[in-house]
Amino acid sequence: MSEIVMVNPATGEELGVKKTWSHQHILDAYEKAREKSLTFRKTTIEQRMEEIRKIKRYIVDHMESIVEGLSADLGKTKSEALLMEIFPVLDCIKYYERNVAAILSDKKIKTPIALMGKKSYVFYEPLGTVLIVAPWNAPFTLSLVPIVSAVLAGNTVIYKPSEIATYSGMLMEKIFKESGFEPGVVTFVYGKGSEIGDTLIEGKPDKIFFTGSTATGKVILEKAAKYLIPVELELGGKDPMIVFEDANLERAVNAAIWGSLFNCGQVCVSLERIYVQESVYDEFVKRVVENVKNVKQGWDTKGEFDIGCMASEDQIKIVEDHLSDAVKKGAKILSGGKRKGKTLFFEPTVIVDVNHSMKIMREETFGPVICMMKFTDEAEVVRLANDSMYGLNASVWTKNRDKALQVSRAIITGGVSINNALMVQANFNLPYGGVKQSGIGRYHGPYGLYTFSNIKAVIIEKGKKPKDINWYPFRADKYERFLTTFKSLFSEKTTAKLKGLPSMMKLMRSKE
Ligand code: NAD
């Protein structure tokens, strides 16, 4: 068993020490969670919703102290904590308060004429005990949204926060305890992924919902395959922003700055590659360099700063590596480009003259970097946008709606915002997830409940007849009737359809 020392990355203040869980402790937790799931799966949707409401009320009543806790854990500003962490969780709960009953209620489904006399339904049932593994960059949202979804779908949850966000994990555990949430439904497990990851999978959860890097996602998928555990993966991104010459330039400049720097660039759908059409490129870059000077960076105690510091030394090293690789290959840093002293505050950075041979345009940078490249026409920019192993989100900026839609369809990605950035996940009605190496699966909205459900197909028959026509015995005359019936049933000609009717009627009435 090892320990995790929790430190405020902005001030260096130690926040506490947490013991990590042992192999046996985790397997025992699975056993208890499985036992609990046998009763929890029988609760009504309203009972589950009532448990979730306890969390909502607690968050609303303790909003400021939660904001302070999240800021202290990760060095994010108070506004970032409020907008990126608290709001999406409350919005998710509000959405499900309104919609969970309709989404999870049994659905009557059409039954084709060939199955006359039967009725068809879909039931949404819990999977059992699910494992949720979360990253550090938005630990509150990226943990609570899947946890809430899994619980509403009737599952018990084993949840592991990132070791870098252990303090946020403990904060959430406190919320569950102090709000009076039913004990045993959600179990908080602490530890480093590299140390306890294998045990979490050996516990054989009924599903793994993983949010984190593409590299770890692949490891989890491979290990889960041994037990055939279904896996949803919400992974990394390298989102393109495409600015055409007819875009509202002022708005696009403001978005480029906000969308690249928000949460110090540590957002999966951050604007990591900005492509600007050549006729407006110089003006766009000039305005970005001017406006970025107004971005206020610091340790935020009053809500007055725009961005804070980076969450870890490791993350700073990635940003430094990408910038130095780009500069070596000919890119120019126009602003920032370094950390302040020995702190984790990395200056907002503007870099140009980049190209796709550089790590900064190929790998996830996850830092406060505004990275811009020129393009000539639509065909070229679509090719550039798609020249990536990632496909999480994208944004398209133009006043021409048809062009915006055409480009949105041409980009291979999980979501697109037109004349906006980082917006798709803000509408909880919309599905959220990536394609290519950005992930597998969708959540949010109805998808968030279905991903944690056994979607069961049911056919009901009154059961009065001794047997169905497709059962034994098969005979030559019965075969002929099936043949004529199927030919007519699937024919596109009306005469052929009518011709098959007598055979069909005979089959229906047949007692064998
Ligand atoms: P990470 O992959 O290093 O860690 C994510 C989680 O996995 C942590 O809890 C970690 O402890 C755990 N883990 C690590 N190795 C494991 C293993 N072998 N088995 C089981 N669990 C293991 O990612 P990170 O650095 O915490 O997060 C940043 C990444 O997450 C970025 O790539 C970012 O784009 C991505 N992300 C994606 C989304 C999305 O919605 N698509 C959202 C936020 C972050």
Side-chain angles (χ1 to χ4, degrees):
M1 215 189 302
S2 62
E3 282 181 347
I4 295 170
V5 181
M6 297 167 278
V7 175
N8 178 330
T11 63
E13 182 199 349
E14 192 176 307
L15 302 171
V17 176
K18 183 78 184 162
K19 280 206 164 56
T20 63
W21 283 38
S22 69
H23 178 79
Q24 196 51 49
H25 197 176
I26 295 169
L27 295 183
D28 291 348
Y30 266 108
E31 205 177 309
K32 283 190 192 139
R34 258 197 207 97
E35 205 179 310
K36 181 76 184 173
S37 85
L38 299 177
T39 48
F40 193 66
R41 66 183 296 126
K42 292 181 189 150
T43 51
T44 63
I45 292 168
E46 184 44 41
Q47 283 169 327
R48 296 172 205 162
M49 193 70 238
E50 197 39 46
E51 290 304 310
I52 296 297
R53 274 194 203 101
K54 292 177 187 169
I55 303 294
K56 180 187 79 174
R57 289 184 203 118
Y58 190 97
I59 296 173
V60 171
D61 292 346
H62 299 80
M63 209 175 280
E64 281 183 274
S65 63
I66 297 171
V67 163
E68 280 160 16
L70 295 170
S71 292
D73 191 18
L74 295 150
K76 52 181 78 196
T77 65
K78 294 180 94 174
S79 299
E80 284 169 343
L82 198 59
L83 294 166
M84 185 183 188
E85 302 274 36
I86 310 270
F87 176 80
V89 172
L90 294 175
D91 191 46
C92 152
I93 297 177
K94 193 169 173 189
Y95 170 88
Y96 284 136
E97 273 186 300
R98 289 185 182 152
N99 298 293
V100 65
I103 296 167
L104 289 182
S105 62
D106 299 348
K107 306 268 179 313
K108 187 154 194 277
I109 305 294
K110 261 188 165 176
T111 307
I113 188 156
L115 301 182
M116 202 184 270
K118 297 157 178 58
K119 287 194 174 122
S120 308
Y121 294 87
V122 167
F123 298 165
Y124 301 94
E125 298 183 347
L127 293 172
T129 297
V130 300
L131 168 66
I132 294 175
V133 180
W136 51 263
N137 65 317
F140 201 71
T141 307
L142 299 171
S143 307
L144 287 180
V145 170
I147 290 174
V148 163
S149 313
V151 167
L152 287 174
N155 301 282
T156 56
V157 176
I158 299 286
Y159 160 67
K160 193 199 92 63
S162 162
E163 53 271 38
I164 297 166
T166 301
Y167 190 71
S168 302
M170 289 168 67
L171 184 66
M172 287 181 267
E173 187 173 13
K174 183 173 162 209
I175 295 173
F176 276 72
K177 277 200 180 120
E178 292 188 358
S179 66
F181 187 88
E182 188 171 335
V185 176
V186 180
T187 307
F188 288 71
V189 174
Y190 297 92
K192 294 181 182 156
S194 54
E195 288 174 8
I196 66 168
D198 286 358
T199 311
L200 286 168
I201 296 171
E202 277 164 35
K204 300 194 194 80
D206 295 295
K207 175 148 193 174
I208 300 173
F209 186 99
F210 172 80
T211 310
S213 65
T214 297
T216 311
K218 286 180 188 177
V219 171
I220 288 179
L221 192 59
E222 203 179 327
K223 294 196 168 149
K226 183 176 170 196
Y227 307 108
L228 214 71
I229 301 168
V231 184
E232 169 147 354
L233 297 174
E234 300 290 342
L235 307 176
K238 191 78 195 165
D239 288 0
M241 173 192 199
I242 298 173
V243 184
F244 285 103
E245 59 192 356
D246 64 342
N248 175 341
L249 225 55
E250 189 185 355
R251 182 175 167 79
V253 165
N254 289 331
I257 294 172
W258 172 76
S260 303
L261 302 184
F262 187 58
N263 207 41
C264 230
Q266 302 166 124
V267 181
C268 54
V269 288
S270 193
L271 305 177
E272 292 240 342
R273 296 179 286 153
I274 302 176
Y275 301 102
V276 186
Q277 197 152 22
E278 57 186 351
S279 55
V280 292
Y281 178 81
D282 290 343
E283 176 64 17
F284 191 91
V285 170
K286 190 174 127 231
R287 289 202 209 178
V288 166
V289 173
E290 271 168 25
N291 290 2
V292 85
K293 290 181 196 142
N294 302 326
V295 174
K296 284 172 71 188
Q297 184 175 34
W299 165 233
D300 199 23
T301 52
K302 294 190 191 136
E304 62 195 321
F305 287 105
D306 298 310
I307 64 168
C309 66
M310 302 204 57
S312 71
E313 185 68 33
D314 285 351
Q315 202 52 54
I316 288 216
K317 284 197 183 119
I318 296 173
V319 177
E320 286 172 343
D321 174 46
H322 285 195
L323 288 172
S324 83
D325 171 75
V327 169
K328 266 186 224 143
K329 291 174 181 161
K332 271 200 215 79
I333 293 174
L334 302 182
S335 164
K338 59 183 188 321
R339 62 162 85 192
K340 292 179 181 163
K342 288 184 177 159
T343 70
L344 293 181
F345 286 90
F346 200 92
E347 291 174 351
T349 298
V350 180
I351 184 164
V352 293
D353 295 347
V354 292
N355 62 52
H356 280 218
S357 74
M358 301 170 183
K359 286 185 192 174
I360 208 153
M361 292 302 269
R362 306 210 74 83
E363 297 173 19
E364 198 176 33
T365 306
F366 228 55
V369 179
I370 308 168
C371 182
M372 291 173 283
M373 179 174 170
K374 208 182 281 183
F375 74 89
T376 48
D377 58 20
E378 188 180 316
E380 185 195 14
V381 80
V382 167
R383 185 182 56 71
L384 287 168
N386 285 336
D387 179 26
S388 173
M389 72 174 201
Y390 293 110
L392 192 53
N393 262 244
S395 69
V396 181
W397 299 74
T398 166
K399 292 192 186 107
N400 181 336
R401 192 170 182 274
D402 290 342
K403 181 162 67 180
L405 290 174
Q406 185 168 300
V407 172
S408 302
R409 288 184 204 283
I411 303 172
I412 302 161
T413 182
V416 183
S417 303
I418 294 172
N419 296 319
N420 214 319
L422 284 65
M423 218 1 91
V424 161
Q425 72 275 33
N427 178 358
F428 203 77
N429 294 276
L430 284 170
Y432 179 71
V435 294
K436 300 203 262 182
Q437 295 198 26
S438 288
I440 300 174
R442 292 290 180 274
Y443 74 129
H444 289 195
Y447 309 91
L449 299 179
Y450 294 150
T451 193
F452 289 111
S453 298
N454 170 18
I455 302 176
K456 188 181 273 180
V458 178
I459 286 212
I460 303 179
E461 169 101 41
K462 281 198 180 131
K464 289 186 179 162
K465 286 189 293 180
K467 60 168 88 159
D468 271 16
I469 48 172
N470 53 314
W471 298 357
Y472 300 137
F474 294 152
R475 290 189 325 248
D477 60 332
K478 200 166 157 187
Y479 169 76
E480 285 304 323
R481 275 188 216 126
F482 273 126
L483 198 64
T484 320
T485 303
F486 290 173
K487 277 185 183 169
S488 73
L489 202 61
F490 298 106
S491 169
E492 289 172 15
K493 294 183 193 134
T494 319
T495 45
K497 274 187 190 303
L498 292 173
K499 213 170 140 195
L501 269 178
S503 289
M504 200 188 317
M505 296 312 289
K506 267 190 201 147
L507 270 174
M508 301 273 185
R509 279 195 223 104
S510 156
K511 293 213 166 60
E512 354 187 273

